[in-house]
């Protein structure tokens, strides 16, 4: 089993829709969880940390389920600018990046 | 605030030539430092990480090496580049303490001819 696993997509979603991604991880001792976004030919940028109780940042909501070992990202009212690859990141001292889920928002 | 500088942005090198990519961090002390490679359309591959001056951990066997001569300087090198070394190289730093994210430099796009 991969350390961090994501559905590669692509997800093609109409503008204004809600989209959700899941990511599973194998190490139950993991303590740090993040979502990053990466635009084409650019470096990954931190989107948000994921906390045990779940957290929200504007249109973005992240959830952590330790029992099932997955984290999720929900994007509401999607914008064209949300088109990117979303990377799930899990770890402790060392972070492991998923291969990403590609999202395209369609006008 | 903390910043990370990575250069050059783009590099074209012939097979067999040497390589030196440099990364520096400002505004923080004793960061963890990382070198990643990303092949076209693929995920991030961790190459090296460092928790302090002169301390380098290698994640994958390869013809690349890394050095950390100063607290906030991380260098990626090769004596002889291979075609398979082409890719997008990213340097990142991470602060100490729990639940800290990594922050990436702008990356170097390396093409081997």
């Amino acid at each position: 089993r991969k350390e961090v696993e994501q559905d590669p997509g692509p997800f093609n979603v109409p503008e204004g829709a809600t989209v959700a991604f899941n990511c599973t991880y194998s190490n139950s001792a993991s303590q740090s969880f993040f979502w990053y976004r990466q635009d084409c030919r650019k470096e990954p940028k931190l989107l948000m940390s994921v906390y045990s109780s779940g957290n929200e940042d504007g249109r973005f909501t992240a959830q952590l389920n330790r029992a099932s070992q997955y984290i999720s990202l929900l994007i509401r009212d999607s914008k064209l600018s949300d088109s990117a690859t979303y990377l799930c990141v899990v770890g402790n001292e060392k972070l492991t990046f998923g291969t990403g889920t590609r999202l395209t928002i369609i006008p | 605030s903390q910043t990370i500088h990575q250069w050059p942005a783009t590099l074209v090198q012939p097979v067999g030539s040497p390589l030196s990519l440099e990364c520096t961090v400002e505004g923080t002390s004793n960061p963890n430092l990382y070198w990643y490679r990303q092949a076209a359309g693929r995920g991030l591959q961790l190459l090296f990480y460092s928790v302090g001056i002169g301390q380098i951990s290698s994640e994958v066997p390869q013809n690349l090496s890394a050095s950390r001569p100063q607290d906030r300087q991380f260098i990626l090198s090769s004596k002889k580049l291979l075609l398979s070394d082409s890719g997008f190289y990213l340097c990142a730093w991470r602060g100490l303490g729990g639940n800290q994210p990594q922050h990436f430099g702008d990356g170097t796009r390396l093409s081997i001819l």
Side-chain angles (χ1 to χ4, degrees):
Chain A
R1 184 181 176 184
K2 284 185 182 178
E3 288 185 69
V4 178
E5 203 148 5
Q6 296 182 250
D7 181 343
F11 284 59
N12 298 314
V13 173
E15 193 175 6
T18 295
V19 60
F21 310 132
N22 276 349
C23 162
T24 57
Y25 61 95
S26 61
N27 184 358
S28 60
S30 299
Q31 295 295 323
S32 297
F33 306 91
F34 308 96
W35 283 102
Y36 281 68
R37 70 170 278 165
Q38 186 174 23
D39 294 294
C40 189
R41 300 177 69 82
K42 294 285 191 178
E43 77 278 16
K45 291 185 178 176
L46 177 67
L47 179 65
M48 59 196 303
S49 301
V50 186
Y51 301 117
S52 297
S53 55
N55 49 297
E56 190 174 303
D57 183 2
R59 298 180 293 108
F60 299 84
T61 300
Q63 297 276 355
L64 168 63
N65 185 317
R66 286 189 184 274
S68 301
Q69 293 180 210
Y70 75 83
I71 66 173
S72 64
L73 177 68
L74 181 80
I75 306 174
R76 290 183 299 278
D77 186 24
S78 52
K79 312 289 184 191
L80 295 177
S81 58
D82 294 334
S83 297
T85 297
Y86 289 83
L87 306 175
C88 168
V89 183
V90 177
N92 293 300
E93 182 178 277
K94 194 170 69 174
L95 297 179
T96 300
F97 285 73
T99 53
T101 298
R102 190 163 178 181
L103 172 66
T104 301
I105 305 300
I106 303 166
Chain B
S1 64
Q2 302 90 354
T3 56
I4 179 169
H5 303 280
Q6 188 182 340
W7 66 94
T10 306
L11 192 59
V12 180
Q13 292 283 102
V15 168
S17 63
L19 173 74
S20 181
L21 301 180
E22 190 161 343
C23 171
T24 58
V25 181
E26 295 176 1
T28 186
S29 296
N30 198 27
N32 288 346
L33 297 173
Y34 307 84
W35 277 112
Y36 290 86
R37 177 171 59 205
Q38 188 174 35
R42 307 292 293 273
L44 291 170
Q45 181 186 34
L46 179 62
L47 301 175
F48 301 95
Y49 71 96
S50 171
V51 299
I53 295 174
Q55 301 178 63
I56 308 294
S57 296
S58 174
E59 288 296 298
V60 291
Q62 60 207 308
N63 69 322
L64 299 170
S65 62
S67 61
R68 185 169 177 175
Q70 299 179 47
D71 181 43
R72 289 168 287 176
Q73 184 186 26
F74 206 22
I75 298 171
L76 183 70
S77 305
S78 174
K79 292 182 180 177
K80 292 179 76 170
L81 287 167
L82 307 172
L83 281 174
S84 57
D85 291 324
S86 291
F88 189 38
Y89 287 82
L90 289 153
C91 180
W93 72 273
R94 189 182 187 199
L96 300 180
N99 211 30
Q100 296 288 323
Q102 284 182 2
H103 303 278
F104 289 85
D106 292 342
T108 296
R109 200 158 297 279
L110 175 64
S111 299
I112 309 300
L113 304 178

